[in-house]
Amino acid sequence: MRVSRLLSLFVVQALLGVSLATSSKKFEVTLSLDGQTSIVESDSVAVYHPKKGKYPVLFVGNDGSAETGGFRLWDLYGGKKSSPKELAAFKTGRSKLVEIVYSVGDDEEDYVVTLSMQDGIIRLYEIEGKEGKLKYAKEADKSVRGDFSALCTWRSKETGYQYIYVMGKRWVYGYIVREKSDKRRRKSDKLEIVETQEFALPVEPNSCTVTDGKVFFGGANGKLYSFPAADSTAIPKITDIGEPAGGDEINGLKSYHGKDNTYLLVGIEDAIEVFDVKKLDKSIGTIKFADEELELNGFAVYQRGSKAHPDGTLVYAGENDSGAFFGTSSLTPLFKSPSKLKANTKYDPRDCINKHAKPKKCSGLSDCNGYGFCPKDSRSKKATCDCFPGFAGSTCNKITCPDNCSSPSQGTCTGPNTCTCKAPWTGEKCATLAVPAHYETEESGGADGDDPAIWIHPTDRTKSRIITTVKSEVGSGLGVYDLTGKRTGGVTGGEPNNVDILYGVNIGGRKVDLTVAACRADNTICMYEITPAGDLIEIAGGVQQLPKEVEDLEDGYDVYGSCVYHSPKTGAYHIFINSKSSLYLQFELTVQNGVLSTKLVRHFYAGNKGQVEGCVVDDPNSALILGEEPYGLWSYPAEPDATAVGTLIDNTVIDGGKLHADVEGVTLVYGKTKKDGYIIVSCQGYSEYNIYKRTAPYDYVMSFTIPNNNEKSVDRVTNTDGVTAVGANLGKEWPYGMVVVHDDVNEAPDGSARSSATFKILSLEDILGNKAVEKLGLLGGVNPDWDPRK
Ligand SMILES: *[C@@H]1O[C@H](CO)[C@@H](O)[C@H](O)[C@H]1NC(C)=O
Ligand SMILES: *[C@@H]1O[C@H](CO)[C@@H](O)[C@H](O)[C@H]1NC(C)=O
């Protein structure tokens, strides 16, 4: 009976929903570009609503470039014709993220928050509104691990805590900003950032925003999600709201605070969809841009307006063929018919703040020592505090660390989730070996390097070469270097992504070595001949278009990662190409009348269809080892007639696997038998490399990272991408071979960033034969006589 009544109620509601939906018409408005900044690598922006008074309206935008990276400050209407005027640039390191927090501490100061990809530090800058200046609150610096993609802020009405949420590759960290207190709990005017929460997310968000007590986030899969913003350490329920923009990638999220309603603004590539935050099932309108070439990234709203823009201003990170910039548009068209929206130019973000809000006293539990939330039943005898990460005990009086910092031999727990490690151990659990590089390659001439390969010379191994890719438009191509990183040659163009080497391909009776890559500039497979001297030259058939059938498999297939396979069963040469959609294409490489030719022989979607890129093939074992960036490392049979069923080697799930997203480069070290040897995989967010046994059950062996080598002036590796290794004796300095890795930001000795990417060169003996892991006897798994031509 009850069930059927509920059911009929549901049907009625569903019908009502439909009739409402068809009766309300969507509006569409077009904004013109009214002002713009100079060219800057823009992704996100935050507008500052000044305290009442004649202060300038400021906005901050990120600068994502390697050389000048950080963020910049503009006076929104301070330039000619009310366009922005740049006031200052802050080189805090390549960054994508900026936000504002309002009314922190007893003095209710406002701050800019930014997070640098280069050093992973959250920084706060006090806004000295009257002068339009920022003052660095260095004491508040907080280190975050991982690769971050979204930042949003919120202030709790109950506790008055000002929160910062940092989201990355499928996780979120919550922090509070507060005034530091001394031992006797007297507040000072110095700030601190304290972590309160961490948990996994179903996607990697591009953007987040907090409004109406909810944290909204969305990303590449076009879905919008939310969870309640709360003073709690508990993992909240995450709600899947659906696809507000019909499945298009969500690039930006912000809200507009109307007089009665709040509107959620969802930014996609070329528009912003407008929703009433209480009815998220249907967009009420669309904001478009007069410039049809414009690609929209993050955006922000200034609600109060100015003479030039009486109904407020939209500020956004935009990009067209000329480059990226921040643009401004008057919001007036949004408030003209037919939208029925009313401008709220009296908006002040401080109005929704309860100035008397204070964290609940918890006297029976020593106020949780300042490192936890007071439980609801704090008077009960059994009550215990809800402790922040890194704190434990009924009153949060104990400090804890992951794996107790691999104590006692590798480190000790010296702070909440803070380990002090014994060299050469490092990392969040002191379980990662720090192994400095011997050399770095000379600068490549391009900002975005990606992947290296090592070509072994047929007769004199000391003359072997390192081959690297630059995928950015400027400086794109393959670089060739000797084993100490000196550039010996290269080719330009093509925007190759990953590079691999095929040995001894028979071309008209000649045995030829080839570099193989996927070139993104023209969506081809691109190959060069490697001469016996290690130079790259063009070869007939070296550029292979994708066959027509690929379009049928996937509309608009864009090549991305690649790797090669020489079958021990048939002697055939194969090339694997993938796209971000995870569709793998397997081609057989043949030679016809001395010209290279390819034929599609297999295709399959890899892993869980998360983004893929890096891969390597274990030839003797016919195993394709591939990374699924957000999720894990997989092994697939490499023969074209095999069923494409993958075996999971390891995953990135928090507390479940040992990998960290993004899972990027994959490479192999061969052993004396088909069972010996290792897989090495790079984890971009942590700039760490995990090593596994080469064959099932793929036991985890160890991980390492690459710190500064001050003696040799070779800087550390950050935001690493591709990796390659050979376990073959390459001469005196490399008795067990070499590892070469991509370094995103090449830091000069003074800590500033260089514009061109480099690759770092390490000895495999320093890693596997390190004294700290000597007892594992790992070098026994390497075959220094390994010869890729045998
Ligand atoms: C890019 O946008 C700016 C600002 O609207 C404009 O001045 C420029 O002409 C545009 N370039 C192209 C190639 O569309
Ligand atoms: C952690 O290690 C320390 C020594 O470094 C030891 O005193 C302590 O008992 C350990 N804690 C736990 C929870 O195992």
Side-chain angles (χ1 to χ4, degrees):
M1 179 64 192
R2 257 196 84 163
V3 172
S4 71
R5 250 176 58 193
L6 272 175
L7 210 68
S8 58
L9 203 74
F10 176 77
V11 170
V12 168
Q13 272 184 345
L15 284 172
L16 257 171
V18 169
S19 65
L20 276 178
T22 45
S23 68
S24 60
K25 225 172 133 213
K26 252 183 85 167
F27 68 83
E28 188 175 308
V29 296
T30 302
L31 304 186
S32 57
L33 182 83
D34 301 328
Q36 71 183 99
T37 66
S38 54
I39 298 289
V40 48
E41 252 184 65
S42 61
D43 301 276
S44 83
V45 52
V47 178
Y48 177 61
H49 283 80
K51 289 178 184 167
K52 301 264 157 58
K54 287 192 175 165
Y55 300 156
V57 182
L58 305 173
F59 78 87
V60 282
N62 77 304
D63 177 344
S65 74
E67 208 176 359
T68 59
F71 71 99
R72 300 192 198 180
L73 178 70
W74 282 271
D75 180 345
L76 177 52
Y77 305 113
K80 278 187 195 142
K81 290 190 187 160
S82 289
S83 66
K85 179 177 161 198
E86 186 169 326
L87 300 177
F90 300 82
K91 288 194 192 179
T92 50
R94 191 176 193 140
S95 166
K96 279 187 188 165
L97 306 169
V98 283
E99 250 312 338
I100 310 272
V101 293
Y102 289 96
S103 298
V104 177
D106 287 341
D107 295 337
E108 302 193 2
E109 302 292 357
D110 305 326
Y111 292 84
V112 168
V113 192
T114 183
L115 176 49
S116 160
M117 279 145 79
Q118 201 173 317
D119 58 14
I121 289 177
I122 306 177
R123 292 177 170 83
L124 293 180
Y125 286 76
E126 187 180 333
I127 304 171
E128 300 184 315
K130 215 184 288 186
E131 301 88 15
K133 282 200 180 121
L134 300 184
K135 194 172 108 201
Y136 185 20
K138 186 170 184 349
E139 81 278 356
D141 278 6
K142 179 81 185 173
S143 190
V144 186
R145 280 173 71 85
D147 197 358
F148 352 95
S149 52
L151 175 74
C152 44
T153 62
W154 167 67
R155 186 163 144 150
S156 161
K157 278 192 182 161
E158 266 97 61
T159 57
Y161 279 143
Q162 176 65 61
Y163 284 84
I164 300 173
Y165 292 102
V166 175
M167 300 188 181
K169 308 279 166 148
R170 294 181 165 231
W171 44 255
V172 54
Y173 294 132
Y175 300 92
I176 52 175
V177 187
R178 65 180 184 190
E179 280 169 341
K180 263 185 190 164
S181 46
D182 63 17
K183 287 226 168 67
R184 272 164 283 159
R185 304 222 187 96
R186 277 195 314 231
K187 282 201 195 159
S188 69
D189 57 1
K190 300 262 178 204
L191 296 186
E192 63 176 354
I193 299 175
V194 180
E195 191 190 338
T196 60
Q197 206 176 21
E198 61 182 76
F199 53 90
L201 297 179
V203 290
E204 177 194 355
N206 288 340
S207 186
C208 63
T209 194
V210 190
T211 196
D212 281 38
K214 283 187 190 138
V215 184
F216 293 93
F217 61 96
N221 72 355
K223 279 192 178 178
L224 184 69
Y225 302 85
S226 75
F227 60 85
D231 296 298
S232 167
T233 67
I235 299 174
K237 184 175 175 306
I238 295 173
T239 307
D240 177 345
I241 297 169
E243 297 178 348
D248 283 2
E249 176 161 4
I250 297 171
N251 291 332
L253 286 169
K254 282 277 157 65
S255 52
Y256 185 90
H257 302 270
K259 283 191 185 116
D260 306 314
N261 298 351
T262 305
Y263 300 97
L264 186 69
L265 309 179
V266 180
I268 54 174
E269 191 181 3
D270 57 356
I272 296 172
E273 292 290 339
V274 183
F275 294 84
D276 184 328
V277 82
K278 298 216 161 63
K279 286 181 234 140
L280 289 166
D281 54 334
K282 194 167 176 297
S283 145
I284 57 171
T286 308
I287 301 173
K288 297 216 146 178
F289 295 87
D291 178 358
E292 283 175 10
E293 299 298 311
L294 182 81
E295 276 179 43
L296 183 75
N297 252 307
F299 61 89
V301 181
Y302 181 62
Q303 290 202 199
R304 287 195 211 138
S306 69
K307 249 188 220 147
H309 296 175
D311 300 306
T313 304
L314 183 77
V315 187
Y316 42 91
E319 187 170 0
N320 67 9
D321 285 349
S322 311
F325 54 86
F326 291 100
T328 63
S329 296
S330 165
L331 279 174
T332 298
L334 182 62
F335 301 108
K336 290 218 164 118
S337 119
S339 87
K340 295 198 188 105
L341 262 55
K342 295 237 164 15
N344 176 16
T345 55
K346 297 268 176 340
Y347 171 70
D348 187 337
R350 297 164 191 84
D351 287 350
C352 39
I353 284 168
N354 172 4
K355 288 191 180 137
H356 305 294
K358 287 269 159 0
K360 193 170 142 196
K361 286 280 170 202
C362 210
S363 40
L365 289 166
S366 312
D367 285 342
C368 302
N369 285 290
Y371 292 106
F373 297 112
C374 192
K376 279 211 175 73
D377 59 345
S378 65
R379 300 213 171 154
S380 133
K381 279 211 177 97
K382 282 188 192 149
T384 60
C385 291
D386 179 12
C387 299
F388 298 163
F391 292 92
S394 60
T395 59
C396 310
N397 58 339
K398 290 191 187 122
I399 286 167
T400 65
C401 288
D403 287 358
N404 204 14
C405 305
S406 313
S407 178
S409 60
Q410 294 171 207
T412 34
C413 182
T414 53
N417 286 344
T418 308
C419 292
T420 301
C421 305
K422 295 178 188 166
W425 294 102
T426 184
E428 65 178 342
K429 299 173 181 174
C430 301
T432 304
L433 261 190
V435 184
H438 288 206
Y439 303 98
E440 63 188 336
T441 57
E442 288 176 332
E443 287 183 16
S444 54
D448 284 327
D450 193 304
D451 190 46
I454 298 167
W455 172 74
I456 297 182
H457 191 278
T459 53
D460 181 352
R461 292 184 166 204
T462 65
K463 292 192 178 131
S464 298
R465 293 285 180 260
I466 295 163
I467 299 174
T468 69
T469 64
V470 172
K471 63 186 176 187
S472 41
E473 215 172 310
V474 176
S476 100
L478 298 173
V480 184
Y481 303 86
D482 72 13
L483 298 184
T484 64
K486 295 221 165 46
R487 190 164 174 119
T488 60
V491 291
T492 56
E495 298 174 25
N497 211 54
N498 293 170
V499 60
D500 241 341
I501 291 162
L502 280 176
Y503 290 93
V505 178
N506 189 333
I507 302 181
R510 282 193 314 134
K511 291 238 163 175
V512 175
D513 298 343
L514 297 174
T515 66
V516 181
C519 275
R520 290 163 78 186
D522 52 3
N523 212 28
T524 58
I525 301 168
C526 46
M527 295 171 277
Y528 289 93
E529 176 176 341
I530 312 171
T531 69
D535 292 321
L536 300 185
I537 55 170
E538 285 182 9
I539 185 162
V543 177
Q544 293 285 313
Q545 306 292 336
L546 301 184
K548 284 236 159 48
E549 44 195 310
V550 173
E551 265 318 286
D552 299 335
L553 294 173
E554 191 177 287
D555 212 19
Y557 186 93
D558 286 322
V559 300
Y560 197 47
S562 60
C563 52
V564 297
Y565 170 46
H566 186 189
S567 168
K569 295 203 174 100
T570 61
Y573 288 95
H574 291 266
I575 301 167
F576 288 95
I577 301 284
N578 60 50
S579 69
K580 288 186 184 179
S581 67
S582 92
L583 179 54
Y584 260 82
L585 305 178
Q586 181 169 5
F587 293 91
E588 185 175 339
L589 179 72
T590 56
V591 181
Q592 278 156 18
N593 305 321
V595 179
L596 295 172
S597 172
T598 53
K599 185 177 158 217
L600 183 65
V601 291
R602 183 166 73 145
H603 67 270
F604 59 93
Y605 284 94
N608 301 313
K609 286 192 158 188
Q611 181 171 323
V612 295
E613 180 183 350
C615 59
V616 67
V617 185
D618 178 342
D619 287 351
N621 288 314
S622 296
L624 165 68
I625 317 279
L626 64 90
E628 179 180 0
E629 294 190 355
Y631 183 69
L633 187 68
W634 299 84
S635 173
Y636 279 80
E639 279 298 315
D641 56 2
T643 314
V645 176
T647 306
L648 187 66
I649 297 174
D650 199 2
N651 66 68
T652 61
V653 177
I654 294 177
D655 295 333
K658 285 192 149 63
L659 283 169
H660 303 284
D662 282 349
V663 180
E664 287 282 349
V666 195
T667 187
L668 276 165
V669 172
Y670 291 99
K672 293 188 177 96
T673 71
K674 271 167 76 167
K675 284 201 150 208
D676 294 330
Y678 306 100
I679 301 166
I680 305 178
V681 53
S682 65
C683 301
Q684 189 162 51
Y686 276 48
S687 280
E688 288 185 3
Y689 308 85
N690 279 12
I691 305 180
Y692 299 85
K693 289 272 179 65
R694 176 181 162 202
T695 49
Y698 305 106
D699 293 330
Y700 168 83
V701 175
M702 61 175 282
S703 60
F704 67 98
T705 188
I706 304 167
N708 286 323
N709 184 342
N710 296 326
E711 249 164 64
K712 292 201 163 193
S713 292
V714 180
D715 65 296
R716 66 185 172 162
V717 170
T718 55
N719 210 25
T720 188
D721 206 324
V723 55
T724 195
V726 291
N729 182 340
L730 297 177
K732 237 180 26 218
E733 198 172 353
W734 323 101
Y736 287 88
M738 175 180 282
V739 177
V740 181
V741 307
H742 161 263
D743 178 23
D744 183 42
V745 178
N746 188 29
E747 292 157 308
D750 67 358
S752 68
R754 311 273 309 172
S755 61
S756 281
T758 60
F759 291 79
K760 304 308 195 225
I761 306 167
L762 288 83
S763 160
L764 193 59
E765 188 187 24
D766 291 355
I767 302 165
L768 296 175
N770 198 294
K771 258 201 145 71
V773 293
E774 214 170 17
K775 58 180 185 299
L776 301 179
L778 300 175
L779 286 175
V782 183
N783 175 16
D785 298 323
W786 178 71
D787 182 347
R789 293 178 181 82
K790 276 196 189 136

